[in-house]
Amino acid sequence: QVQLVESGGGSVQAGGSLRLSCVASGLTFSMYRMGWFRQAPGKEREGVASINRDGGASYVDSVKGRFTISRDNAKNTLYLQMNSLKPEDTAMYYCAADPVGGWRSRPRDAKNYVYWGQGTQVTVSS
């Protein structure tokens, strides 16, 4: 049984930082592309960042230069370091796993991801 468990969310002021973690079990983590998604109330789910099995990363434009996705295959853990947070980053953040670990034409397309965590809330106040 595959499980993805996120942690690290919370409430911060604008300009602050948070580090999200996602621990995976029940799958060969190192072979999967992993992604972070977010969804704010009343908005569509958005692919924030993706990392392939070789460490290549992709980001949505709104977080480039502020967020960093990384993975530790020895610990089956995915991370999202979020700096210079803005109120518009407020959302529920989810990690997800894509069985195609290599190249994707649309690496942050949610349709590619078959396993999802339950989410962790991030709230940024102004």
Side-chain angles (χ1 to χ4, degrees):
Q1 180 182 359
V2 175
Q3 282 194 314
L4 302 176
V5 180
E6 303 96 334
S7 62
S11 297
V12 296
Q13 291 191 327
S17 297
L18 284 173
R19 188 194 197 201
L20 305 185
S21 298
C22 171
V23 178
S25 60
L27 76 170
T28 307
F29 179 79
S30 62
M31 298 302 293
Y32 279 70
R33 168 181 293 279
M34 299 298 295
W36 285 101
F37 293 79
R38 66 186 179 187
Q39 188 165 21
K43 294 189 176 181
E44 292 188 357
R45 182 172 49 188
E46 177 181 50
V48 175
S50 170
I51 185 167
N52 67 20
R53 63 188 176 205
D54 299 318
S58 169
Y59 299 92
V60 67
D61 285 347
S62 60
V63 308
K64 284 180 180 177
R66 300 189 298 123
F67 289 11
T68 302
I69 189 171
S70 62
R71 64 191 300 162
D72 185 337
N73 290 337
K75 296 182 178 180
N76 283 3
T77 303
L78 176 73
Y79 302 100
L80 185 68
Q81 178 66 45
M82 305 187 295
N83 299 329
S84 302
L85 282 161
K86 304 176 180 180
E88 50 263 44
D89 294 318
T90 295
M92 185 72 77
Y93 283 71
Y94 302 89
C95 75
D98 173 357
V100 177
W103 182 85
R104 282 278 201 188
S105 60
R106 299 181 66 181
R108 288 175 284 103
D109 188 338
K111 296 183 183 68
N112 297 330
Y113 293 78
V114 297
Y115 301 114
W116 293 81
Q118 293 299 305
T120 186
Q121 177 68 38
V122 172
T123 303
V124 185
S125 58
S126 57

